[in-house]
Amino acid sequence: MNQTGTLAISGGPRAVTIDQEPLLRWPQVGLEEVAAILDVLRAGQLSVTNRSGIVAQLEDNFAAYEGARFALGRNSGTAALHCAYFGAGIGFGDEVIVTSYTWLATVAPLLHLGALPVFAEIDPLTLTLDPEDVARKITPQTRAIVPVHMWGHPADMDRINAVAREHGLKVIEDASHAHGSLYHGRKTGTLGDVGCFSLQASKAMMAGEGGILVTDDRGIYERALVLSQSPGRLHQELTDPELARFAGTGLGLKYRMHGLAAALADVQLKKLDALNAVRNANHDRLTAQLAGVAGITPPITAPGCYRGAYYEYRLRYDPEPLGALPVDTFVERLQAEGVLAARERYPLQHVQTLYSDAVLFDEGLPWGIKLPRRRIYNRAGDLPVTESVHARLIALPAFPSAGSEALIDQYARAIKKVVAGSLA
Ligand SMILES: *Cc1c(COP(=O)(O)O)cnc(C)c1O
């Protein structure tokens, strides 16, 4: 294998020559989705106001897939998280331990309950919440822990659940990257008290826009409902008299799922395991070829874990073997070879304005709430492991299509070529 060759950025031939766009295209929508949409249109299920029709069908199918008692379809993953947090009983002044390395929707809904996000470190290999740092950040006000199964890799749930049990905390999983991921044979989303999934169009199982939560806990389910559903479904389903007295109004939010979104997601669910198998084979093919290459660490998958719909691929870059070559230069060299590489696209959350002391405690949140002042970890430097890993991540796309072997092999050769050409 010729790994040296002139780098494309210096005028050499590009390593990636295959037309990638058709292989990387996502979401994949076929005739089954079109047929399902037409059925729902013809049946007139454009607003499903109680638990019935296509929305109930998706909820039943997803609950069965997950092995959960209850599933609740919502109009976004953000809404599912808001419902799950309220469902789990999180309220004003409670502290909730979260990761900073996630999409913003994991964290921001907590503020609408008056809860305080407390950021903990990630494990540098799996990029998921570090249970030891979680334990260090528990205070008497802590109420819950929120692991995110980043890029499909399950968080260290045995240890997170052990910490939660010891301190009487709830565990809310954000499984928006991890549809169909497995942790010692069990589905992500069912490993804590309640699990949430985004079904937004870029996600591996999608509804265009949508979300869904699963739980075995009837109390969490009913609280999630009362927060965000209109009376039709509340009269039908609420059994807890404390909640049922609000059935005439709910609590004022409406997060129910669109019938057309449910139709899309229900078809996508049927395809999920087969598509995940393709994604994983592609993921493993690239990972195997990158083992032992200087300057990069391919993703690891811990024993007993399956990445399911891993969503996107992440490499860690280590500049030392490459003469301290800056990560941006390395990425530019990859891009010149035709690799769709980029720096990490998720900004860290703990340094965002929304979580600054000034906003949380002094001026107050824009909707007029000031949180009780506490020690939190919201300044640059407070999460040294997370910050250093994050600065070195390189994003590659997911490879969602069968028949991508030649493209993946070109990606591996391109990466090795850039490494070899940068060592010289
Ligand atoms: C996409 C995503 C969400 C939010 O989902 P929406 O459906 O876009 O509201 C939440 N958490 C994570 C980790 C996500 O990737």
Side-chain angles (χ1 to χ4, degrees), residues 40-76:
V40 170
L41 270 176
R42 289 195 188 100
Q45 295 184 46
L46 294 180
S47 179
V48 184
T49 57
N50 57 12
R51 189 171 192 284
S52 67
I54 185 65
V55 173
Q57 181 180 316
L58 171 68
E59 290 174 348
D60 288 344
N61 288 337
F62 196 69
Y65 177 79
E66 286 281 306
R69 270 181 80 196
F70 304 101
L72 179 60
R74 300 290 76 184
N75 57 14
S76 69

Side-chain angles (χ1 to χ4, degrees), residues 76-79 81 102-103 105-106 148 150 174 176-177 198-200 203 209-211 311 346:
S76 69
T78 309
L81 285 155
T102 183
W103 181 240
T106 310
V148 185
M150 287 300 283
D174 184 347
S176 296
H177 290 190
S198 169
L199 303 175
Q200 182 268 341
K203 303 292 157 72
E209 298 287 358
Y311 192 39
Y346 284 179

Side-chain angles (χ1 to χ4, degrees), residues 81 85 98-100 102-112 115 117-119 146 174 349 354-355:
L81 285 155
Y85 293 149
V98 292
T99 169
S100 176
T102 183
W103 181 240
L104 61 92
T106 310
V107 191
L110 290 166
L111 299 175
H112 292 272
V118 175
F119 294 101
V146 184
D174 184 347
Q349 293 303 302
L354 190 56
Y355 306 110

Side-chain angles (χ1 to χ4, degrees), residues 5-21:
T6 308
L7 295 184
I9 203 157
S10 309
R14 283 158 63 108
V16 178
T17 55
I18 289 170
D19 179 16
Q20 358 186 4
E21 197 269 330

